Amino acid sequence: MKRFSLLLLACFFTTLLFADSGFGLVNSYAKEKRRPSGFDKTKLFVGGGLGGGSIQGGYIFSVTPSVGYQFTDRFHAGFNLGYFYSKQEIPYVDGSYEKFKTRVISTSLFARFFPLDVVFIQATPELNFSTQKYEEYYALANRKTSETYKNVVPAILVGGGYAQRLGSNSYMMISIMYDVLQNPNSPYYRQPIFGGGLALGLFGG
């Protein structure tokens, strides 16, 4: 299980996007007039990210769409979906090998607060639906074994990061999170989670 946890860390989830509306990412942003109470479509934001790369004997791939709402200048909340896939084969000198395949679909909520202009803190309760397949081949015995594991694993990620405006309606973010539940089957077990992304408001300011 630890191997699968380490694989998931390379590209997993948090590429979330911000609305524009001046929530304090830089000191110089233009403050807007107070809008009437109620739903305001200009406070909606969407996001998403693609990730991938090579690992020893294989590759990883992830995609993470998200949608959220800016409730105040400094408090945002929303919903994330995520998909992760990894494949790895580890050969040995005698011709034996181990193969790992992992698929994870995640659903999560997030709440993000900006106590400072460029600093945020965040909490993300999450459910991970994972399917993990392990295959091992013993060359000397000419024998192959395989096992498949399916788990529903909760996680609560807490942490924070840095956000910076890139333009009138775009932002970037970097973050570090930690799973406080520490379920042994969690993709985040005993590991920090690094993330980042770009940002665009859905309907502009």
Side-chain angles (χ1 to χ4, degrees):
M1 288 297 184
K2 291 183 179 180
R3 285 192 179 98
F4 296 121
S5 299
L6 292 173
L7 287 174
L8 292 175
L9 290 174
C11 256
F12 204 66
F13 316 114
T14 314
T15 49
L16 307 176
L17 303 186
F18 303 94
D20 63 340
S21 299
F23 54 82
L25 290 184
V26 291
N27 290 324
S28 60
Y29 71 87
K31 294 183 179 294
E32 299 179 356
K33 295 181 180 179
R34 184 179 300 275
R35 294 192 178 98
S37 60
F39 178 77
D40 184 348
K41 69 177 184 180
T42 65
K43 294 184 178 182
L44 284 171
F45 59 94
V46 294
L50 293 174
S54 61
I55 54 177
Q56 179 186 1
Y59 62 90
I60 53 180
F61 169 80
S62 69
V63 57
T64 55
S66 65
V67 63
Y69 189 78
Q70 177 189 336
F71 289 91
T72 71
D73 285 349
R74 293 189 180 272
F75 178 72
H76 303 179
F79 177 77
N80 303 317
L81 286 175
Y83 175 80
F84 175 90
Y85 177 80
S86 70
K87 183 177 181 181
Q88 182 182 33
E89 181 175 342
I90 301 176
Y92 297 98
V93 293
D94 64 351
S96 302
Y97 63 80
E98 292 179 287
K99 289 184 179 180
F100 306 89
K101 292 182 180 180
T102 302
R103 291 182 176 88
V104 178
I105 296 174
S106 72
T107 61
S108 64
L109 303 174
F110 68 88
R112 185 182 300 120
F113 178 71
F114 288 82
L116 301 174
D117 289 334
V118 297
V119 175
F120 64 89
I121 56 177
Q122 181 169 307
T124 305
E126 181 176 285
L127 275 180
N128 296 295
F129 303 86
S130 67
T131 300
Q132 303 167 336
K133 184 176 181 180
Y134 170 73
E135 182 180 306
E136 189 168 13
Y137 174 67
Y138 303 90
L140 295 179
N142 193 26
R143 181 168 59 91
K144 182 186 296 185
T145 62
S146 65
E147 296 178 285
T148 300
Y149 306 93
K150 293 186 177 182
N151 294 295
V152 180
V153 183
I156 299 179
L157 309 182
V158 296
Y162 172 84
Q164 177 65 56
R165 184 185 296 274
L166 297 177
S168 62
N169 198 29
S170 299
Y171 307 91
M172 65 170 239
M173 174 187 78
I174 56 174
S175 65
I176 180 170
M177 309 284 283
Y178 189 76
D179 181 9
V180 297
L181 295 185
Q182 286 298 294
N183 187 308
N185 292 319
S186 170
Y188 316 119
Y189 185 58
R190 293 182 177 177
Q191 299 288 339
I193 306 102
F194 298 94
L198 297 175
L200 289 173
L202 187 58
F203 292 99

